[in-house]
Amino acid sequence: MNAVTRAMASAAAVLTAFALSAPIAAQDDISAALQGEEEGGEKDGFDATYGDTPKPPIAENMSPDKLIVFFTTFAQNEDIVKGLRPAMDALLVEGEKVEDWQDQGIDILAHLATREGGVAGNILRDTDVEVLSAIDLSGGASPDLEPFESYALRPDPIGLVAERGFISFLPGVWFEVASQRSQVGNALCYGGYFGVTMHIRSSYTRWSDDQLIGIASIFALIDQLSALDVCTLYSLDEEGRYISRSFLPDGTDLPALNAQNDPSFLMPAVDLDEFLLSVPKVDRSK
């Protein structure tokens, strides 16, 4: 997988704890603001609408537009950004600069062009079963999304979308990331804006507040990663699987991020529909 998708997957465990604990103040502020808007204005002190009865989950009566506003507001909240910073810093520890780094590995696009179906007919699927991910390096993937509700949290970038990644941390919830890229030697390099669409198999109105905050936290991480300038090199291991390695554009190795890499294998693009119906496996021993 590319570096952006890998960073998302690597931070999944961190996000689970983060979403349910810190920063609570930011969660309360955002929740109160949206709850007030839904009910027609801000309320101070005792809420006569509900009395001693617990309020319904925030998402229960949230319109699709309000959902997108919530995700955007959450991702830009100063406390949320600050809370995610340690996870980002831990992943992006810099190693040594590697000479002629861009000439290592294989030209993955040229390599896939020689395979049956070409670049568009093959998708790189990660071997991780707890965080599911697949990358379409052609950018042309158009899976059947009829089983899903889809929400464009960030519109696709203007111009050619070179690549689409699909990643799932939770059953029935997929994030589709549409990105542009450049090629430097054998490396694929990313940076700047990319689009994010959330696909869900059951209505968000059924989410608890903890689920809403947790999924919004994943989007907040994606939002921060959009500013990351990073390059990915691919190579083949002895079993013919694809191994990725990430660098900064100046050739600086990213050892913490690379240590998290799982091998990928080729999946026919026609199997993407079925793959999106898969669910992550939970390791309950952790």
Side-chain angles (χ1 to χ4, degrees):
M1 62 173 65
N2 68 33
V4 172
T5 310
R6 181 68 263 166
M8 289 165 56
S10 300
V14 176
L15 284 171
T16 300
F18 168 81
L20 299 178
S21 58
I24 296 298
Q27 296 177 19
D28 290 344
D29 289 346
I30 296 169
S31 299
L34 284 209
Q35 193 81 27
E37 289 181 15
E38 292 290 340
E39 295 163 10
E42 295 183 358
K43 297 179 174 62
D44 296 323
F46 178 72
D47 189 337
T49 305
Y50 296 100
D52 294 329
T53 303
K55 290 184 179 180
I58 299 169
E60 185 173 301
N61 297 307
M62 189 182 289
S63 68
D65 286 345
K66 291 292 186 184
L67 177 72
I68 294 172
V69 169
F70 181 91
F71 272 73
T72 302
T73 304
F74 189 94
Q76 296 174 354
N77 180 273
E78 182 178 346
D79 289 332
I80 299 299
V81 172
K82 186 183 300 183
L84 284 173
R85 194 69 248 172
M88 293 280 290
D89 290 343
L91 286 173
L92 301 177
V93 171
E94 296 185 10
E96 298 180 352
K97 287 189 177 180
V98 178
E99 186 176 355
D100 298 326
W101 63 278
Q102 70 276 10
D103 298 324
Q104 297 184 12
I106 61 173
D107 181 337
I108 187 66
L109 299 179
H111 171 81
L112 292 181
T114 66
R115 305 300 294 260
E116 183 179 355
V119 179
N122 292 280
I123 286 177
L124 287 178
R125 175 176 169 179
D126 199 275
T127 53
D128 190 344
V129 296
E130 294 183 47
V131 179
L132 304 179
S133 64
I135 296 177
D136 164 38
L137 291 172
S138 76
S142 183
D144 176 16
L145 297 172
E146 186 175 351
F148 297 87
E149 295 180 5
S150 298
Y151 301 93
L153 303 178
R154 299 179 69 181
D156 284 358
I158 297 174
L160 177 67
V161 172
E163 184 170 314
R164 293 188 184 274
F166 299 86
I167 185 165
S168 177
F169 301 85
L170 300 167
V173 180
W174 287 87
F175 286 95
E176 176 183 348
V177 178
S179 56
Q180 296 173 321
R181 64 169 184 249
S182 59
Q183 188 164 5
V184 179
N186 289 335
L188 302 180
C189 297
Y190 309 83
Y193 182 92
F194 50 76
V196 181
T197 301
M198 180 176 65
H199 307 295
I200 56 177
R201 291 195 65 187
S202 61
S203 176
Y204 65 85
T205 59
R206 298 169 58 188
W207 291 350
S208 67
D209 288 351
D210 283 346
Q211 289 173 320
L212 177 64
I213 293 296
I215 296 170
S217 297
I218 295 173
F219 173 70
L221 175 68
I222 298 173
D223 193 65
Q224 290 196 36
L225 288 169
S226 68
L228 180 64
D229 287 319
V230 67
C231 299
T232 300
L233 279 169
Y234 290 91
S235 61
L236 287 168
D237 68 10
E238 294 179 353
E239 299 179 36
R241 301 176 302 180
Y242 299 86
I243 307 297
S244 61
R245 185 179 176 188
S246 300
F247 298 84
L248 295 179
D250 65 356
T252 299
D253 187 32
L254 297 173
L257 184 58
N258 291 327
Q260 303 294 323
N261 282 347
D262 294 303
S264 298
F265 60 93
L266 287 187
M267 177 179 75
V270 295
D271 291 345
L272 182 58
D273 292 353
E274 181 179 357
F275 178 63
L276 294 181
L277 298 179
S278 306
V279 297
K281 294 184 178 179
V282 179
D283 184 353
R284 301 189 183 279
S285 66
K286 293 182 178 181

